Amino acid sequence: GFVVGHAGLYQALAMFAVAYFIIGMTVLSVCAIATNGALDAGGAYYMISRALGPEFGGSIGIMFFLANVCGSALYVLGLVEAVVDSFGIPPGQKAGTGVHVLPQSYWYELLYGTVLLALCLVVCLVGASIYAKATFLIFLIVAGVLGTVLVSFFATRPIGVPIRLPHFNGSEIENGSFTGFSLATLRDNLGGGYAVDYTTGQMMSFSSVFAVMFNGCTGIMAGSNMSGDLKRPSYSIPRGTISAVLFTYLVYNLLAFLMCATCNRTLLQKDYGFLRDISIFPPLVTVGIYAATLSAAMSNLIGASRILYALARDDLFGRALALAKKTSASGNPVMAVILSWLVVQLVLFSGKLNTIAGVVTTFFLLVYATVNLACLALEWASAPNFRPTFRYFTWHTCLLGIAGCCVMMFLISPVSASASLGFLLLLLLALHYLSPSSTWGYISQALIFHQVRKYLLMLDVRKDHVKFWRPQMLLMVQNPRSSARLIDFVNDLKKSGLYVLGHVELQDLDTLPSDPLQPQQDSWLSLVDKLNVKAFVSLTLAPSVRHGVRQLLFTSGLGGMRPNTLVLGFYDDAAPQDGLARHPAFSSAREEVPLGFPALRAPAAPKLLSAREYVGIVADALKMLRNVLLARQLESLDKAWELRRAASPPPTIHVWPVNLLRPDSARYADTCSLFLLQMACVLNMARAWRRARLRLFLCVEAGAMPHAQEEKLRQLLKDLRIQAQIQLVPWDAVTRLHWQTHQGPPGGPAPAGEAAEEEEEEAVNFPANATQVSDEYVCAANKLVLEQSPAPAVRFLYLPRPPADTSLYPLYLHQLELLTRGLGPTVLVHGVSAVTSTQL
């Protein structure tokens, strides 16, 4: 009567259509999730939490708990209004007459509500079995009353109904009319006629009437809320819910038409209990109203308790809900029921039914939207294990349900909707950072996998362009205990590219009962999390380290995301140091170093890798057209200290883009030099290194027009958009040591064109240049690098190719060791691909 009286028949039918459209889409989602596996206590909360993860589940669980709590209070207040309407002392009278003996005031009505709520509490404390029996009895009563009401529309003759309304100086009486079936009455009631609600004194509108009406449709979740108490929830929930939705939709539409055709608007707007006045047996209508509202109040109370119990049992809120875990001997969550009752009692202080209707509706709509979101996410994730036996849904129905809920939320009350979403967001953030990890599975992982696979297929390596090149690193780690700072340094070098931590385990799978790498995977992933690096982990078994590195270079990555740069620690005789224990990520007393990694090699113990094999790995990578970085003494790099220094000169990065081991072919614009410049620039672009300054060293000889060379290099840096300070370094004394042992070409160095041809030819033929450089010269080059002050945070040096003759590998490594001895954190770089671009 309230809905039809204010909104008229057309708008009432539209409200029912919108409400049941939203409910229908949500029911399809509920049925799909309910038939996709075993359900436990918690209903919609259980479905959402197991589908979307603990953050969404916990936050929506709280919202759904509050929705049921407010819904229970709303129905109790509705029952109080019905009781006061039947037995209350009329306004303006001091003493009651006949059955009208109950005083009317805010506090008296709060008392009546408390008594009725206590009755609901007793039923719910006894358990779900007595509640089920009580609700079945109530269903029979309501069905009988409904039949009587339908008969009354046809059997009752036209009558006038006096309506006593409260007034500021007493009360006044208006006359409503039951006209029987009348075309004139129907015409009068077709359109809307919003007026002041006589119970609250507020002006009604479409949104406020819809908010009240929608609360009569929220019982669809009653069955799912009892999922933990049903014997076969996957069977009962779809059938019971769909039957209830269809039945109530038909009854609401039929009653709306009958009321509009038989009752004038005054009766519908001024007397919400008019069905008693026109019934052939008025007391039965009163009993039906009491039974229906009492059943709804109990349903919401027991639903709220089951949700609270499920939240407590999942331990998402820790000790805050620990009390709600306690159950009776029969398994009834009595403490959750009592806590829910206390919260409902607090809500009763709001006083009037229509006051909290908007809030309740907003909460329910938000929950329904999230149920649809959960089903939509499961459908879009396309996981093989999502195969519900209920198939009458698609992602379109889920999307329509979400859109309908969101639109109606903001139409009903933009303020309530915004506040609810804000509260939901706060709960999401709190649970994300504070709740323990769960074993339910995260739908986000399935969705990410689905999208990543799709985009990886779209990432076509044939469309690669140098403008969009980025380093994709494979860092080989023998033991993370001695490589923590190197791992962190390479993370700064990757520039949003792929980063893979590779490790080779020297074992033979044929002689083992199972894969030994699986137990180690968790330790490596925990290390990645604790060091806060964005890296993947790739472990492999191989008979030798060299074979293992080859495997990883061939197989790491996927599609267009494959490592293009190999990073190795330097091969020297330095004793390994446990840098993991001193790393800031593990400096807290509460943090333990991962125990899955073996102890470091003793200084006297033999190495797992020979010098020849180490250089062979470098040669293999270059043959496979991978860039190579060799990092020496990176464990001595205290990045946090270097970059926080308060000294006036900022930390520097020294760049030597010339092959110091080949003074006879020193060039600054070959592929390797440009790659070295690019890597130094990439490091400088990292957030932690932006304060650092690049210093580029130009080695010049007397009579070689140094200023022209400097200008040429400056123009190159300008074209490449690299900010760096160029410093001229005379190295005649160093190169003289080289020419003393080798007769230089007559007339000085070869022309530029011939030098370029010689370089290209030797790059193909792998020249054995190591035999042409003396230790004395290499030590002089090392001293030249070391003398450049102030000392930098890190140095980048040119890494020459290994010799083609494998017998010279130890000599090659010895020269690299001499060149970098005592330089501190140093990176030797050799690039094989063009990585710089001057184009737009």
Side-chain angles (χ1 to χ4, degrees), residues 356-533:
I356 59 173
V359 177
V360 177
T361 301
T362 301
F363 281 173
F364 272 110
L365 284 170
L366 192 57
V367 172
Y368 292 170
T370 314
V371 171
N372 285 298
L373 177 63
C375 189
L376 177 67
L378 289 169
E379 177 70 7
W380 276 355
S382 301
N385 283 323
F386 182 63
R387 43 180 185 268
T389 56
F390 182 87
R391 297 300 305 165
Y392 302 102
F393 78 100
T394 67
W395 66 268
H396 305 85
T397 61
C398 303
L399 208 57
L400 288 172
I402 295 171
C405 290
C406 294
V407 169
M408 290 314 301
M409 264 199 312
F410 282 94
L411 283 179
I412 290 170
S413 175
V415 175
S416 297
S418 301
S420 300
L421 289 172
F423 182 53
L424 175 65
L425 183 60
L426 287 175
L427 287 173
L428 273 171
L429 292 174
L431 286 172
H432 178 72
Y433 289 106
L434 301 178
S435 68
S437 59
S438 72
T439 57
W440 308 335
Y442 293 82
I443 191 65
S444 58
Q445 296 299 302
L447 290 171
I448 291 170
F449 178 90
H450 185 71
Q451 293 302 112
V452 166
R453 181 194 63 85
K454 182 190 301 182
Y455 288 123
L456 272 176
L457 290 172
M458 296 169 61
L459 191 60
D460 191 345
V461 293
R462 294 168 296 183
K463 298 179 181 178
D464 283 347
H465 194 279
V466 65
K467 289 190 299 184
F468 307 113
W469 179 90
R470 65 182 71 238
Q472 305 200 74
M473 304 293 200
L474 171 60
L475 170 62
M476 298 306 304
V477 179
Q478 195 273 325
N479 191 330
R481 293 183 182 275
S482 61
S483 307
R485 285 182 173 165
L486 176 57
I487 294 171
D488 190 43
F489 178 79
V490 177
N491 186 62
D492 291 333
L493 269 179
K494 72 181 186 307
K495 187 55 181 173
S496 303
L498 178 68
Y499 183 17
V500 180
L501 297 181
H503 173 71
V504 179
E505 194 76 18
L506 299 182
Q507 296 190 55
D508 185 0
L509 192 59
D510 290 339
T511 63
L512 299 171
S514 62
D515 181 7
L517 299 178
Q518 292 300 322
Q520 299 182 28
Q521 191 78 17
D522 286 344
S523 295
W524 283 86
L525 294 176
S526 298
L527 176 75
V528 168
D529 292 338
K530 295 303 299 179
L531 294 181
N532 195 27
V533 295

Side-chain angles (χ1 to χ4, degrees), residues 10 44 46 56 99 139 156 460 524 555 560 597 614 617 621 658 660 686:
Y10 289 153
Y46 188 86
F56 253 106
V99 295
F139 169 74
T156 303
D460 191 345
W524 283 86
T555 61
F597 303 119
Y614 176 82
I617 293 173
V658 64
L660 295 174

